[in-house]
Amino acid sequence: MKYKVTLNNRTYEVEVEAGQAMLLDEYEAIAPAAAPAAAPAPAAAAPAAAPAAPVVTGAGEPVNAPMPGTILKVNVTQGQAVKEGEVLCILEAMKMENEIMASKGGTVTQVLVAKGSIVDTGAPLVIIG
């Protein structure tokens, strides 16, 4: 098999047979000519603003997202009593459904996410008071 290998702007033509390599030719690589300047591209639309981070107003301990992902289901509402270990919501990350559980028992003082919300690592999801 014959191969052309370019290394440090030098091109080497190499033939390989049954584990032995033999140099056939060596020559200077030529850089391609620069393309003519194109007309300026139209101004791109301003990027969409990132969704505003939820404002924590409820008193209590936040239950944070352990990883970035999308909220598939929210199982609690504000004012609902929860027990330690109860599933608060389902977070999809890397095609896996992760149950986000209450770290302590108490009353949900605030739900900061809804179905379809996209969250980052450490984002507060629910506040338990």
Side-chain angles (χ1 to χ4, degrees):
M1 305 236 33
K2 290 184 182 182
Y3 298 96
K4 287 186 180 182
V5 179
T6 303
L7 180 65
N8 294 332
N9 289 329
R10 296 197 55 87
T11 301
Y12 302 91
E13 191 171 325
V14 180
E15 183 175 352
V16 178
E17 283 187 29
Q20 295 182 1
M22 180 186 312
L23 179 62
L24 298 178
D25 196 9
E26 174 183 343
Y27 44 92
E28 197 72 30
I30 299 173
V55 178
V56 177
T57 57
E61 182 180 319
V63 176
N64 298 324
M67 63 194 81
T70 304
I71 301 297
L72 295 180
K73 185 176 181 183
V74 179
N75 295 338
V76 295
T77 58
Q78 188 170 343
Q80 179 179 341
V82 294
K83 298 176 186 169
E84 182 176 345
E86 187 174 337
V87 177
L88 303 174
C89 56
I90 307 292
L91 173 70
E92 178 193 26
M94 300 185 307
K95 305 293 182 194
M96 298 286 293
E97 292 184 9
N98 301 283
E99 295 179 336
I100 308 303
M101 298 181 196
S103 54
K104 69 174 193 172
T107 302
V108 176
T109 58
Q110 190 175 7
V111 178
L112 301 166
V113 294
K115 181 178 178 180
S117 298
I118 297 173
V119 297
D120 287 326
T121 303
L125 306 173
V126 175
I127 308 295
I128 300 175

